[in-house]
Amino acid sequence: MASTTSPEVSLEVLPYLRVLKDGTIDRIAGTQVVPAGLDPQTGVLSKDIVLIPETGVSARLYRPNNITKTDHKLPLIVYFHGGAFFISSAADPLYHNSLNMLVAEAKAIAVSVNYRLAPEHPLPTAYEDSWVALNWVFGGGEDGDLWVKEHVDFGRVFLVGDSAGANIAHHLALRVKASDPDPKVKIAGIGMVHPYFWGKEPIGGEVTDLVRKSMVDKWWQFVCPSEKAGDDPLINPFGDGASSVEGLACGKVLVLVAGKDILRDRGRLYYDELVKSSWRGRKELTETEGEDHVFHIFNPNCEKAKSLIKHLASFINQD
């Protein structure tokens, strides 16, 4: 008779993941995948490419299906998905759908980076994988990818991400300038959707929302078990040892927050500190009232989600 004993759990990172006593990582969410291809709803075509065979780091590329070699060059979105650094992928059906919508609305090319996840690949692996992907872009699409080589306007490269992906975009923009004060390919802007920043000491709504504060504390400690905890420079851009936002290598930043999101006040703080700094790029903060974290990913057909995508697309196409 088959055993019905449930596997013993050593750690729960709710509501997304469990670690079993034998070390197995049991992901509860963010595991579904869909293939690349033509999306009939948006007319966007996608394909998967391996960027680094040695590590398996890959990306899903998107483009409007109706463009030709003679069309004018298009902006490039380098996208980093969310998932607290430990769930989801570029092939997640929710992200695939969102990228199709954004590419269609912005009339852009997109490279959605499939970085490796913690805890199997501890931080800073996600940042390093994303840096490799960005350098692939800076190289004009090495290995001869014609979508990038033929259709991208390299004067209009944007880093866009939600949640953990927005965090990655911030760090890459700092690293670009630190590694080369005058890079050949410049980042036109950063689109941060509900950015995943944090800190030990609660601010704003975190002070009274102790349940969600504890939950996010646990998420970060799981992927980055450092003594600094929520004040680690990777998650707190204004903590000790963090690089100044004045080093952002881009011309404009859009910060989008959601009214019911536990991370809302961190996004607001980021914008406020950007305004107070000597960074001279264009800054914009927009709040979607009555919505929670990455609502546009989970409910993409609601009017507020469509408005968010239009806002991002407009940001990408503004001079």
Side-chain angles (χ1 to χ4, degrees):
M1 184 174 179
S3 172
T4 58
T5 303
S6 300
E8 290 189 81
V9 177
S10 65
L11 177 66
E12 289 185 312
V13 188
L14 297 175
Y16 300 123
L17 176 150
R18 303 183 304 169
V19 182
L20 306 185
K21 285 278 179 72
D22 64 2
T24 300
I25 306 300
D26 179 23
R27 287 183 170 83
I28 304 166
T31 59
Q32 291 183 304
V33 297
V34 291
L38 178 63
D39 178 53
Q41 299 297 319
T42 58
V44 171
L45 185 64
S46 58
K47 66 178 179 180
D48 294 326
I49 61 169
V50 176
L51 302 181
I52 307 296
E54 295 82 3
T55 61
V57 174
S58 63
R60 179 162 290 187
L61 273 60
Y62 296 81
R63 51 161 270 197
N65 189 42
N66 58 359
I67 59 173
T68 67
K69 283 183 66 174
T70 58
D71 286 346
H72 67 281
K73 302 285 188 176
L74 303 178
L76 175 65
I77 301 164
V78 185
Y79 194 89
F80 309 98
H81 69 80
F85 296 101
F86 57 78
I87 63 166
S88 201
S89 71
D92 185 316
L94 295 175
Y95 279 108
H96 181 66
N97 180 62
S98 186
L99 264 292
N100 280 327
M101 294 174 67
L102 179 57
V103 166
E105 187 67 37
K107 296 179 175 57
I109 306 294
V111 175
S112 182
V113 180
N114 205 37
Y115 55 84
R116 289 172 291 173
L117 302 176
E120 297 93 333
H121 304 282
L123 294 183
T125 300
Y127 298 99
E128 295 302 323
D129 288 350
S130 299
W131 178 247
V132 167
L134 187 57
N135 277 280
W136 179 87
V137 168
F138 284 0
E142 295 169 8
D143 304 321
D145 187 82
L146 296 181
W147 289 16
V148 175
K149 286 182 178 295
E150 293 184 353
H151 299 298
V152 166
D153 175 357
F154 285 98
R156 294 189 290 162
V157 175
F158 290 82
L159 307 185
V160 180
D162 66 282
S163 196
N167 175 304
I168 290 173
H170 160 79
H171 283 286
L172 293 194
L174 290 173
R175 188 166 175 178
V176 165
K177 190 165 186 178
S179 64
D180 184 355
D182 187 25
K184 293 178 181 177
V185 178
K186 303 199 187 296
I187 298 170
I190 307 174
M192 295 184 169
V193 184
H194 310 162
Y196 182 22
F197 298 125
W198 205 235
K200 271 186 181 181
E201 294 301 318
I203 63 172
E206 301 163 16
V207 175
T208 55
D209 196 342
L210 299 180
V211 172
R212 290 200 294 175
K213 172 71 166 70
S214 175
M215 179 179 67
V216 179
D217 285 342
K218 190 169 186 177
W219 292 350
W220 180 250
Q221 193 66 17
F222 178 65
V223 298
C224 188
S226 72
E227 292 181 358
K228 292 186 175 182
D231 284 338
D232 188 288
L234 289 177
I235 194 69
N236 187 345
F238 310 111
D240 289 343
S243 299
S244 171
V245 291
E246 295 168 8
L248 290 173
C250 61
K252 57 182 181 177
V253 172
L254 170 65
V255 182
L256 301 179
V257 298
K260 293 183 177 180
D261 187 1
I262 187 63
L263 301 181
R264 177 195 62 179
D265 294 302
R266 298 292 170 173
R268 285 176 166 178
L269 175 64
Y270 186 91
Y271 172 80
D272 290 342
E273 292 295 325
L274 204 56
V275 170
K276 289 190 290 186
S277 76
S278 62
W279 183 76
R280 295 305 173 211
R282 284 161 45 194
K283 313 107 177 158
E284 182 183 350
L285 172 69
T286 300
E287 179 171 336
T288 305
E289 295 182 359
E291 296 293 346
D292 210 332
H293 193 61
V294 297
F295 72 93
H296 67 295
I297 299 291
F298 294 109
N299 188 16
N301 294 318
C302 73
E303 288 306 312
K304 289 181 180 179
K306 293 176 182 178
S307 177
L308 186 152
I309 293 296
K310 286 180 181 294
H311 195 166
L312 261 179
S314 175
F315 170 77
I316 289 164
N317 283 294
Q318 285 173 349
D319 293 331

